[in-house]
Amino acid sequence: MRIVVVGSGGREHALVRRFVREGHTVVGVPGNPGIAQDAGVAPCASNEIPVLTAACHRERPDLVVVGPEAPLAGGLADELRARGIATFGPSAAATRLESSKAFAKAVMRAAHIPTAAFEVVGDEAEIDRVIAMLGGSVAVKADGLWAGKGVVVCETAGEARAAARRLLERGRVVIEERLSGPELSVIALTDGERLALLPPARDHKRLGDGDRGPNTGGMGAVCPVAIDEATLAGIRETVLRPAVGWLAQAEAPFVGALYAGLMLTETGPEVLEFNARFGDPETQAILASIDPSVGLGALCLEASTGRLAEAVLLASRAACCVVVASAGYPEAPRKGDPIDGLDEARAAGAEVLHAGTRIEDGRLVSAGGRVLNVVATGESLEEARARANAAAARIRLPGKQVRTDIGAS
């Protein structure tokens, strides 16, 4: 096939590389310097939906796979389908599962999907009442898209009040009971009815080792995560299928990658959030773990055309993705710093994916908060972790931030 991948991050680079290895002709819109080494790119003047739509249409693709959430929320998949282009990515209406935390919680409540107790707050006067009702130790979440950084997990009522007031400046917030337990990411490909589950992964959101520091868009991920078949089947039947079914009944069928971010509590899995696309950086680890014989491009086309078969895909090896972030990330990422050592990292047995880079005066420099993804595989998670950490250590970026404990707990 001729596949267009929309986006410019590490997730999109991983998708492009996978599709190329499957024998497809691939174009990144707009792509990045790493994607340009692996496939074609079609730079865009802007990220506005009409511009992206026209750029995709010009490539005459058999399939478009949309990576980031912002163009999905803006209706890119709707515009592409209106032009008769098979598109892997949900409509703007279905993307509300991610673009509105309040909507997602309402769907969970209506579909009886297990999740934390919550209230939606739009008025500062309600903050104290809701925090007290939920016990003081809560999570405060911005209602809209914040690139994975609109969640504050609070230890005290004072922290929660401060976070809620700050996030309220940009709209409603969801204040919810704080859950405890290990986190898990489960992503399903879906055609709006049937589900094909990818191997479960685990993201590490906090900036520093030991889960310290602020939340980020994700500092690394591992795949697979050891959970029993019954637990995974339970997540499919009590979380993913009800969400897909509810949206179908609401005439907003979900076609694309449905991501459930979960907490494995003492009483069972509960949903922390839904995302309406492939996770980042989970996808980088998941795609490295899946056997090369699995045709991801064919599965995305089948989902986009209503022909997906029910499946549970298995990991054939362990994979670890370590994010190399810029100085100042996540609050104020520094850009324009020179990047070196990529060949040395690859020689250490890892793949290097571009997440936030650009070419400036003929040299590769940083262009965002999460700059590179270092991905390694192994027969065991320990082997994959060791390779990824050794390779990440060889990358030179002034002020770089890297976690060394991805997958250690």
Side-chain angles (χ1 to χ4, degrees):
M1 289 184 289
R2 183 173 180 81
I3 302 177
V4 165
V5 175
V6 176
S8 59
R11 164 187 49 213
E12 288 76 41
H13 194 180
L15 288 165
V16 165
R17 187 166 285 178
R18 177 78 186 205
F19 293 147
V20 167
R21 287 173 176 169
E22 292 176 3
H24 305 296
T25 300
V26 188
V27 178
V29 175
N32 64 35
I35 290 173
Q37 292 177 346
D38 290 338
V41 294
C44 291
S46 77
N47 288 322
E48 296 178 358
I49 299 304
V51 175
L52 288 173
T53 303
C56 292
H57 189 259
R58 280 195 298 271
E59 296 301 322
R60 306 175 73 87
D62 300 302
L63 174 68
V64 174
V65 177
V66 184
E69 61 273 21
L72 291 169
L76 178 59
D78 304 80
E79 293 296 328
L80 293 171
R81 290 192 183 101
R83 295 190 181 209
I85 299 172
T87 303
F88 186 82
S91 65
T95 301
R96 289 186 68 202
L97 268 187
E98 177 168 6
S99 64
S100 171
K101 290 285 194 297
F103 175 78
K105 294 294 274 192
V107 171
M108 289 183 242
R109 179 177 281 167
H112 306 292
I113 295 170
T115 190
F118 72 97
E119 289 287 338
V120 179
V121 175
D123 188 332
E124 193 169 316
E126 288 289 292
I127 292 174
D128 286 345
R129 178 189 66 80
V130 173
I131 291 172
M133 180 188 71
L134 294 174
S137 178
V138 298
V140 182
K141 302 181 177 183
D143 184 33
L145 294 175
W146 278 59
K149 297 183 283 289
V151 177
V152 183
V153 180
C154 306
E155 298 285 347
T156 67
E159 289 180 18
R161 281 193 293 272
R165 290 188 177 114
R166 176 173 62 85
L167 296 180
L168 263 177
E169 294 176 1
R170 285 177 51 177
R172 297 184 301 174
V173 299
V174 173
I175 302 176
E176 68 179 35
E177 173 192 15
R178 184 175 173 181
L179 301 175
S180 61
E183 293 192 28
L184 185 73
S185 302
V186 178
I187 301 172
L189 314 183
T190 177
D191 60 3
E193 179 182 354
R194 290 164 290 273
L195 303 169
L197 270 61
L198 302 181
R202 179 163 290 138
D203 181 21
H204 293 66
K205 288 286 189 187
R206 297 282 189 167
L207 180 66
D209 282 2
D211 283 333
R212 297 184 179 92
N215 267 350
T216 71
M219 291 298 293
V222 293
C223 180
V225 177
I227 61 170
D228 59 70
E229 292 182 13
T231 300
L232 186 59
I235 291 167
R236 180 186 60 208
E237 299 304 325
T238 66
V239 172
L240 295 164
R241 203 178 302 282
V244 169
W246 191 94
L247 288 169
Q249 290 182 357
E251 298 184 353
F254 192 106
V255 175
L258 177 57
Y259 168 121
L262 304 142
M263 186 78 81
L264 300 178
T265 73
E266 290 183 353
T267 57
E270 297 200 36
V271 177
L272 297 171
E273 65 177 355
F274 280 121
N275 289 331
R277 35 73 189 182
F278 287 109
D280 185 350
E282 293 98 331
T283 298
Q284 291 86 309
I286 291 170
L287 297 190
S289 77
I290 297 174
D291 192 276
S293 65
V294 174
L296 181 69
L299 288 172
C300 290
L301 180 65
E302 289 163 9
S304 303
T305 53
R307 298 181 290 112
L308 187 68
E310 290 270 334
V312 177
L313 303 182
L314 302 176
S316 64
R317 52 193 168 177
C320 178
C321 171
V322 172
V323 170
V324 178
S326 61
Y329 179 74
E331 290 87 359
R334 195 168 70 199
K335 301 178 182 180
D337 286 328
I339 304 167
D340 293 294
L342 272 63
D343 288 341
E344 296 168 42
R346 286 188 280 262
E351 290 194 75
V352 180
L353 302 170
H354 290 235
T357 67
R358 69 171 183 262
I359 301 296
E360 189 174 274
D361 297 327
R363 184 166 193 183
L364 187 69
V365 301
S366 60
R370 294 186 292 175
V371 179
L372 298 166
N373 303 149
V374 179
V375 183
T377 61
E379 293 300 315
S380 67
L381 177 55
E382 290 74 19
E383 183 180 353
R385 287 187 62 246
R387 286 178 179 166
N389 284 330
R394 300 190 182 196
I395 291 174
R396 296 182 293 281
L397 172 69
K400 76 175 184 180
Q401 301 185 84
V402 177
R403 281 188 64 164
T404 61
D405 64 345
I406 300 301
S409 59

